Structure formats: C-alpha cells, structure tokens
Amino acid sequence: DCDDGAFGIDCAEGANTSASGAARKTAGVLAGAMPGALAGDSGRSSAGSEAGGPPRRALSIYVYEMPPEMTTIPFVTKVLGPIRGDPIYGAEAVFLHKLLQDEGVRTLNPDEADLFFVPLFAAYGATRNIGCAYGQAKFALRYVRDRYSRFWSRRGGRDHFIFVTNDKGGCGLGDAALRPIVLSHWGLMAPFSRMDAHLKFPSYFNKTSQVYGEIASGQWCHSPHKDIVVPPYVAEDKRSRETPNYARDAPLLLVHAGGIWGWHNRGPQRPTGYSLGMRQVLWSQWGGDAGKAHGLLVSNSSIPDAKWSESR
C-alpha cells in the first residue's frame, strides 16, 4: 500500500505534491465505481500468478497507474459528474474495467509484461469527442518514458498501447504515436487532410515515397503495421440479449440514418470529407424515395428505433 497521496510502482510519485483531498477523493470514486481498480490492489501479489489463482495466460498486460490529474479526475468529472459522458466513447473504460478484474491477463509485475497499457480517457477529458488527443497523449507518454524509462526502453515504446476513442481517433497524434500501438474506432490510412482523398487525390496511394514518409512521420491516422481498429462500445440492453430472428420479415436491405452534409446537415451540400464522402454519395444515389424501390432507406435525419429492425 502507498501512503495517502502517493502512487506509482514504488510509491514515489505524488508523496510531496500538493494534490488536494478533493482530488484523492475523486480518484477514489472511480476506484469504487470500477471493481478491481488500482486502489484495490493492496491484497494482490506482484510476483506473478498467486497460488490457487488463475493461471497466467500467454499474454500479460501491465497497467500504468497514472497521476489522477492526467486521467482519472477528468474522467470522473465528465462521466460521474453533471455533464455525464456519452457511452459510445467508453470502449477504453470498459476495457480497463474488464482488464483490472482479469488476473489471468493483467500482471502487477512489469518485468513479466508483454504489453503496457497507458490509460488516457481522452474523449472524456480536455480532448473531448471532436478534438485531437495529441497534447494529452504526448504528455502521458512522456511521463511514462521519463518515469518508467526501463520499461519504455525495453522495446522503445513499441510494446505500449493507448486508446483514442473520440471521433478523430489517431488523427493528428503525430510524433506522439510513432512508437506505441494506437487503438481507435476507425482506420483512416492517410492524414486527416485526405478524408476526401477518393475525390481530390485519386492517385494518392501511387506516390509510394510520399506515403512511406507520411507514415514514418506519424501523419497517418492509422498505421496498419502497428495500430488496431476496435469496435465502439454499445451498452447491453434487453434486445441485445435476445436471439436474432433471421427469418423475420425484413423488407429493407440497408438502412442509413443521420446527417448527410455534416453534423445536423450544417455543412456544404456536396461530397466532402465528412464520413469520407460516403454519406453524400449514398444520399445522392439512394436518398429518400430513390432507394425505396431497391429496399434501401437512406435518411438525412434520425429514425425511430423500430425502423432499424426492418433491416437485414
């Protein structure tokens, strides 16, 4: 156990800081809200699998205990406070919640870890859902590199990973994401400026040297040699526990609903980089009545939940 206010592998962090009691209390809220969180690890051994405990699996992950000002407090303020957080960005929180309880994968001994997880909670902090997590990622990874240099240097940070679950994913991370593995919800294999590359830059991928240069400098939103695309989190409800009825009457082959010309249709009414131009092309060809004869429902606004069940 670390003394009150201290944290880290050897309890050396935070002991002489001016962290307020409110900050420590807020961090405790998260620990209480997420069973198995770091604050509850005092009874576990860091010497590997305990006698009678679950066997260690092929993959072991170590979770860094970050300063609460970097991750925990913004997360708690956004999710548990009056603002609340949209659960669609909660994949990282759910992953951490599951990992903290999985003694077969999570290890408290960094020397036996295969991978190192650096929590960010970017979408619930200053980055929010539409920003770029560069500053937060840069700060957190520099902290890990400086504070735990032995583990970072082992493979140059290539065995470390972060989540960026907001709308821009790994776009704009630049030099912050050259080494660590980035998990995001979409894998745009280009810089963010190439969102509409299929229209403006048809020969983009033919420029091999340019592409390699952009990847090497961290300009791509998703680097396929190291990054991973993960699905967004969808909260379980009664319908998700029901066995799908594939024989049901489903007159619609495809359903799309949502803004076509940008958020709430506030953008220019032409193909743009919004959703890589997919929404605008769908609407221009099959929007409204044009798609009905073909079993396609392409709407430029939200639709009732029941309508989705009519789609195959």
Side-chain angles (χ1 to χ4, degrees):
D1 264 315
C2 294
D3 292 332
D4 189 25
F7 53 89
I9 293 177
D10 56 1
C11 299
E13 280 292 319
N16 298 318
T17 67
S18 58
S20 67
R24 292 193 294 272
K25 181 178 180 181
T26 306
V29 170
L30 180 60
M34 300 174 67
L38 294 168
D41 285 333
S42 58
R44 291 183 56 193
S45 167
S46 61
S49 300
E50 303 173 31
R56 179 65 59 194
R57 297 178 186 169
L59 181 68
S60 293
I61 300 176
Y62 180 81
V63 183
Y64 283 111
E65 186 171 359
M66 305 296 287
E69 291 82 1
M70 286 188 188
T71 54
T72 310
I73 291 177
F75 175 82
V76 172
T77 302
K78 186 74 178 286
V79 177
L80 301 183
I83 300 177
R84 300 293 176 180
D86 190 331
I88 197 173
Y89 302 110
E92 178 181 12
V94 174
F95 172 83
L96 179 59
H97 175 73
K98 300 288 187 182
L99 179 59
L100 292 177
Q101 299 177 84
D102 192 339
E103 297 184 21
V105 174
R106 184 195 173 200
T107 177
L108 297 181
N109 181 0
D111 286 306
E112 72 175 20
D114 301 299
L115 295 171
F116 294 80
F117 176 39
V118 183
L120 286 183
F121 300 125
Y124 296 118
T127 301
R128 305 184 68 181
N129 65 308
I130 59 173
C132 170
Y134 173 77
Q136 189 173 351
K138 183 82 169 180
F139 188 58
L141 292 170
R142 178 177 294 174
Y143 169 84
V144 168
R145 186 186 64 207
D146 294 345
R147 181 68 184 85
Y148 307 112
S149 59
R150 181 162 68 90
F151 307 119
W152 178 270
S153 300
R154 192 176 68 170
R155 292 187 176 89
R158 294 178 180 86
D159 51 1
H160 287 55
F161 68 96
I162 60 174
F163 273 85
V164 278
T165 61
N166 51 352
D167 290 351
K168 286 190 176 179
C171 293
L173 289 181
D175 58 344
L178 290 178
R179 300 292 181 84
I181 301 164
V182 177
L183 285 76
S184 70
H185 292 326
W186 56 295
L188 177 62
M189 293 190 293
F192 188 73
S193 61
R194 307 286 187 175
M195 278 284 284
D196 48 0
H198 63 292
L199 295 174
K200 294 184 178 179
F201 312 103
S203 61
Y204 169 65
F205 288 101
N206 296 334
K207 302 174 182 178
T208 307
S209 60
Q210 177 181 338
V211 167
Y212 280 140
E214 290 177 349
I215 295 175
S217 59
Q219 295 183 50
W220 273 28
C221 300
H222 174 87
S223 297
H225 65 285
K226 67 177 184 66
D227 296 339
I228 300 173
V229 175
V230 297
Y233 171 69
V234 178
E236 184 182 41
D237 60 17
K238 180 180 178 181
R239 288 173 298 178
S240 65
R241 293 192 295 270
E242 296 175 351
T243 302
N245 177 14
Y246 297 107
R248 74 189 190 286
D249 182 24
L252 298 173
L253 295 174
L254 178 144
V255 173
H256 175 278
I260 299 296
W261 316 111
W263 181 247
H264 290 301
N265 292 310
R266 294 173 181 170
Q269 295 195 15
R270 56 176 174 77
T272 65
Y274 186 67
S275 290
L276 283 79
M278 177 274 296
R279 299 183 186 219
Q280 299 91 54
V281 173
L282 273 178
W283 176 261
S284 65
Q285 296 189 22
W286 312 109
D289 293 336
K292 289 183 178 180
H294 304 277
L296 308 176
L297 173 60
V298 181
S299 171
N300 63 357
S301 61
S302 59
I303 61 175
D305 287 348
K307 205 66 179 175
W308 292 99
S309 64
E310 297 180 16
S311 172
R312 297 183 187 179

